[in-house]
Amino acid sequence: MLKDITLGQYYPVRSFVHELDPRVKILLTVAFIVAVFVGGSLWAAIPITLFIIGAAKAANLPLKLLLKGIKPLRVILIFTFVLNLFFTPGDTVLLQAWKVRVTREGLTTACRFSLRLVFLVTGASLLTLTTQPVALTDGMERLMRPLAKIGFPAHELAMMMSIALRFIPTLLEEADKIMKAQMARGADFESGNLIQRAKAMVPLLVPLFVSAFRRAGDLAMAMEARCYHGGQGRTRLRVLKVGKNDYIACAVMALLIAAAAVVG
Amino acid sequence: MEEFILRVENVSYAYEEGAGMAVQDMNLAFRPGEMTAVLGHNGSGKSTLAKLLNGLYTPTVGKVTVCGMDTALDEHTWQIRQSAGLVFQNPDNQLVASIVRDDVAFGLENIGVPSAEMPGRIEDALRDVGMLDFIDRAPHMLSGGQKQRIAIAGILAMRPRALILDEATAMLDPKGRREVFSVVERLNREQGITVVWITHFMEEAARCRRVIVMDQGKCVMDGTPAEVFTQAERLRAMRLDVPPMVALGDLLRARGLRIPREAMDIESMAREVLACR
C-alpha cells in the first residue's frame, strides 16, 4: 500500500531542459507563473500552450506525462469551472434554463481560471520532471543564500530538505514493516469508518515516531563524526554554472511574458 | 612517523556527572597499520571507546590523542575527525544523501575540499570498497552490506589514517558481514590504514592481529588472538565465547592431536587437521 507513493517524479533523460542550471530553472518557473497571470484575456493561453508544448519537446518529455500531473486536480478544476460559469455577473446571456443562466463573461472567466490552474500545475511539473531533487535543493540553497545575511537559515533549510528526501523511503519501509507486524497480531487498518481507521493508526505512528527520533540522534552523531559543522566553509560537489543555454532559456521566457502581455 | 596513531592515557568517561563510569582508567595505544579487534559484552564500554577515539566524546579524566592531537582541544576537532573516521552500527542512519555520489561527497564538502578535486576522490573511495558501479544509485535500494561499504567510502574519501568501526557488521546478514570485513581487511593490508574493529563476533576478532577485551569499562585482556582465546574460562566469565575453531582446537588437543593454537579460522584448521593424518 505504502509502496504506491512515488517520490519526486524526476524523468531521467538527457535534454536541453534537464541540463539547465537548477537555479535558472527555479527562477524560470517563477517567471512562468508571472506569464500565466499577465495575460488577462483568453488569447494569452495560446502562446503559453505553445510554450509548454515546445518546452516538453526540448525536455524530451512525452506530453502525456506532463498532463498526468493534472489528474489529481480534476475535482478542483471542475469545481472552479462550474462556480465561475454560473456565478460570474454578466450581461450577454448565452443560455438560460429556469434560474440558472450562463453568460458570455461567465464562460470566459471559467475557461480562463481553469486554464490558469492547468498551466500552473504543468509549469511546476516541468520543473520537477526535469530536475533531480538533489539539484533542486542545491539550487534553492544557493538562491536563498543572499537571505542568509539577514539571518535566514538557507543552508539549514536545504540540508533539512535533502535529509527528508533521503529518509522518506526509509521511513515508509519502516511503516510498512510495523504495519505488517501489527496486522500479524490482529490489528485492523482497513475496515471501519474514518474515525476508527484514524484510531487504528495510533499504534502505527507511536513506534514510527520513536524510531524516527532514534534515527535522528544517530544521524546527527554520524554527521558530526564526518566533520559536519554547518554551512560555514563548506564546499560543494556540484558546481552550478550559468551557461549559454541558460541565457537562451531566459530569452525564450522573456519573449513568452512579452507575448502574453501583448496579446492579453 | 609517530609511534602511535591513537593513544588513550588514563582515560575515564562518565555520561553524566555522578553517573557510573562507562570507561574506567583505560590505557591503550594503537600503532600505525595495526588491525585490532575490540571485544566485549553489551555495556562493556566499547561504543564509548569508539566515540572517545575520534573526539565525539572528550574524556572526563585523562587524555586521548589522535596523531598527537589532543581531542579535548577545540582547534583540533575537525582534523581529528578527519584522521580517525568512525563507522557506526546502523547502515541506514549514517547515510545523509539520497544518491551514493553525494553521500560520499558529504565529508569532503564539510572539510572544504575544492569542488574540482572531489569527483576523483569519490571515485577512488568507491573503487576501494568495490562500489564504483553504484555511484548513481539511491542508498535505500542497496543491501545492508552495500550501505555499510558506502559509509566506509564516505570516510575513506577524507583520507583518514585510522578507521574505527563500531559494530559495523552487527546488523548485517552473514554475506554482508563477510563483504564488509574483507573490505576493511584489505584496506588495512594494502593502504596501511589503522583499524579498530569493535565487534562481538569472535570469528572476526580471530582474524585480527591484536585483540582487546573490555569488561565493565576496563580493558581486561590485550594480546594476539592466540593469547586471548586460549583463556577460554576467563572469556566465559565475561559472557564471551571463544571462536568455534578455537574451541574445536582445544577439543582436538585434549584428544592428543597436535594442532597449533594459531589455527583459528576454518581454512587453517582444515589445513592442520589434514596435516595430522
Side-chain angles (χ1 to χ4, degrees), chain A residues 20-23 135 138-140 142 237-242:
Chain A
L20 290 177
D21 188 308
R23 290 170 298 180
D138 248 17
M140 280 192 203
R142 268 169 249 213
L237 167 65
R238 285 155 208 276
V239 192
L240 299 185
K241 243 177 106 184
V242 176

Side-chain angles (χ1 to χ4, degrees), chain A residues 166 226 234-236 238, chain B residues 92-93 102-103 110 113 115:
Chain A
R166 151 77 185 84
R226 284 168 77 183
R234 208 160 180 265
T235 47
R236 300 311 306 271
R238 285 155 208 276
Chain B
D92 273 320
N93 297 356
D102 293 70
D103 190 80
N110 290 336
V113 172
S115 305

Side-chain angles (χ1 to χ4, degrees), chain A residues 132-134 138 159 162-163 165-167 169-170 173 211 214-216 218-230 232-239, chain B residues 51 54 56-57 78 81-82 86 88 92-99 101-113 115 118-119 122 140 154-155 158:
Chain A
Q132 282 194 12
V134 183
D138 248 17
M159 191 47 123
S162 56
I163 289 175
L165 279 171
R166 151 77 185 84
F167 274 91
T170 308
E173 211 172 273
S211 112
R214 206 195 53 231
R215 281 180 197 282
D218 279 5
L219 183 71
M221 186 72 91
M223 284 169 74
E224 253 192 85
R226 284 168 77 183
C227 299
Y228 180 70
H229 50 284
Q232 228 160 24
R234 208 160 180 265
T235 47
R236 300 311 306 271
L237 167 65
R238 285 155 208 276
V239 192
Chain B
K51 285 163 191 152
N54 88 334
L56 280 173
Y57 296 162
W78 311 117
R81 291 194 186 154
Q82 190 185 333
L86 183 51
F88 295 84
D92 273 320
N93 297 356
Q94 53 185 321
L95 300 181
V96 187
S98 41
I99 298 177
R101 183 197 303 273
D102 293 70
D103 190 80
V104 178
F106 181 72
L108 298 178
E109 296 179 323
N110 290 336
I111 57 174
V113 172
S115 305
M118 278 190 217
I122 293 167
H140 70 271
I155 303 286
M158 293 198 279

Side-chain angles (χ1 to χ4, degrees), chain A residues 13 54 57 142 164-165 177 237 245 251 261:
Chain A
V13 288
K57 198 122 213 142
R142 268 169 249 213
L165 279 171
K177 223 186 274 170
L237 167 65
N245 286 354

Side-chain angles (χ1 to χ4, degrees), chain B residues 176-251:
Chain B
R177 219 148 63 207
R178 273 197 303 275
E179 275 170 22
V180 173
F181 188 80
S182 54
V183 159
V184 173
E185 211 177 26
R186 189 162 46 77
L187 289 172
N188 170 259
R189 198 174 57 232
E190 288 173 8
Q191 305 191 8
I193 294 176
T194 312
V195 173
V196 179
W197 180 271
I198 297 171
T199 185
H200 58 252
F201 292 109
M202 298 300 146
E203 309 90 294
E204 292 170 355
R207 289 171 64 181
C208 297
R209 259 157 285 161
R210 178 182 172 198
V211 178
I212 289 170
V213 181
M214 284 183 72
D215 190 46
Q216 294 179 342
K218 284 182 183 148
C219 167
V220 289
M221 290 182 184
D222 183 351
T224 63
E227 286 162 5
V228 169
F229 290 130
T230 43
Q231 308 182 45
E233 284 314 308
R234 245 182 112 190
L235 286 172
R236 287 201 187 100
M238 286 177 285
R239 286 177 294 166
L240 288 171
D241 258 328
V242 294
M245 287 307 126
V246 174
L248 177 64
D250 282 345
L251 289 172

